Amino acid sequence: MKSDVQDKLAIRELIENWAVWRDAGDWERFATVWHDDGVMMATWFQGSYEEFIKANQDGYKRGVRIYHFLGGSSIDIKGKRAIAQTKMSISQRAEVEGVECDVICIGRFYDFLEKRKGKWGLVWRRLTYEKDRIDPVDPTQRPKLDPKLLARFPIGYRHLAYLQTKVGYKVKEDMPGLDGPETDALYALGAGWLKGKKIGW
């Protein structure tokens, strides 16, 4: 029991460090939360954690601003493997159709973790996107959104995807949401991970 609690505390600290160090641009320390084969999969990016760092650095230079806020975690551990689900929100500000806007999206980090040489690290970060909204920074202005572009994306992150598309990213259109086949498939991968199965991405 004591070991399990210590492992959960270490995993939660890792998750919190991910958010703080990523948003602060502390890339040297951010790299330490990943294992060498770590992979990140989000709406706007899918690839290795090294590529993720580079994409964030490049985006920041172009004015991209994305921030995260964390809620509670549920962590399942089986031997040296774990699945952690953490409630979170993503906040991004950018100009949309000529109007400066904020998008807030809530969902969960869905993390595949492994303990190697006594250290927990991220092997694969997935997300579920559950609900989002877009708000003009100046409430007297209103962006006129293209309904066809908005409808391309799942309801859980369609406004976030709209904004990210407008700032130049190619957004993945089949990310898991609150429920549905993509979410069921993610849960199945998580269950397989805890049973020791290999996970391909």
Side-chain angles (χ1 to χ4, degrees):
M1 178 66 72
K2 184 177 180 181
S3 175
D4 188 60
V5 170
Q6 290 173 336
D7 284 333
K8 287 187 176 182
L9 286 172
I11 289 170
R12 176 64 193 198
E13 182 180 23
L14 179 156
I15 292 165
E16 291 181 354
N17 286 341
W18 188 102
V20 173
W21 293 340
R22 184 257 162 234
D23 289 1
D26 191 346
W27 302 116
E28 185 174 346
R29 287 203 289 177
F30 178 80
T32 67
V33 307
W34 300 87
H35 283 309
D36 290 343
D37 54 346
V39 172
M40 177 72 191
M41 184 175 287
T43 52
W44 65 277
F45 176 88
Q46 302 88 45
S48 72
Y49 81 88
E50 296 102 333
E51 293 168 329
F52 180 65
I53 290 172
K54 180 67 164 55
N56 276 283
Q57 291 171 328
D58 292 345
Y60 193 85
K61 291 175 184 176
R62 296 191 294 107
V64 175
R65 299 293 184 266
I66 303 173
Y67 302 105
H68 302 81
F69 193 82
L70 301 181
S73 288
S74 176
I75 300 169
D76 296 305
I77 298 174
K78 186 75 169 178
K80 295 187 181 301
R81 287 189 170 191
I83 291 290
Q85 298 186 64
T86 304
K87 291 295 297 181
M88 60 84 195
S89 66
I90 301 167
S91 172
Q92 185 167 358
R93 176 172 290 186
E95 189 173 289
V96 179
E97 308 298 0
V99 178
E100 188 175 33
C101 292
D102 283 328
V103 168
I104 301 291
C105 180
I106 64 170
R108 281 167 288 147
F109 288 135
Y110 192 99
D111 293 327
F112 296 68
L113 302 111
E114 194 163 28
K115 193 174 189 179
R116 301 176 186 172
K117 298 180 180 179
K119 177 181 179 293
W120 286 101
L122 276 166
V123 179
W124 196 18
R125 167 155 282 184
R126 298 286 307 270
L127 291 87
T128 66
Y129 301 87
E130 297 167 357
K131 185 180 76 169
D132 75 342
R133 60 181 291 162
I134 186 168
D135 298 293
V137 175
D138 179 349
T140 66
Q141 300 183 15
R142 181 185 298 178
K144 187 174 181 180
L145 304 184
D146 177 351
K148 290 184 179 179
L149 176 58
L150 195 65
R152 271 177 42 191
F153 302 105
I155 192 168
Y157 63 98
R158 61 179 36 164
H159 298 94
L160 179 65
Y162 191 105
L163 180 149
Q164 290 176 339
T165 299
K166 287 295 182 176
V167 300
Y169 290 113
K170 180 175 174 56
V171 177
K172 192 169 171 55
E173 298 181 14
D174 59 352
M175 299 297 282
L178 182 60
D179 51 27
E182 292 84 7
T183 308
D184 292 341
L186 179 59
Y187 292 161
L189 286 170
W193 176 253
L194 291 177
K195 293 177 181 177
K197 293 183 179 179
K198 291 183 177 180
I199 305 297
W201 40 72

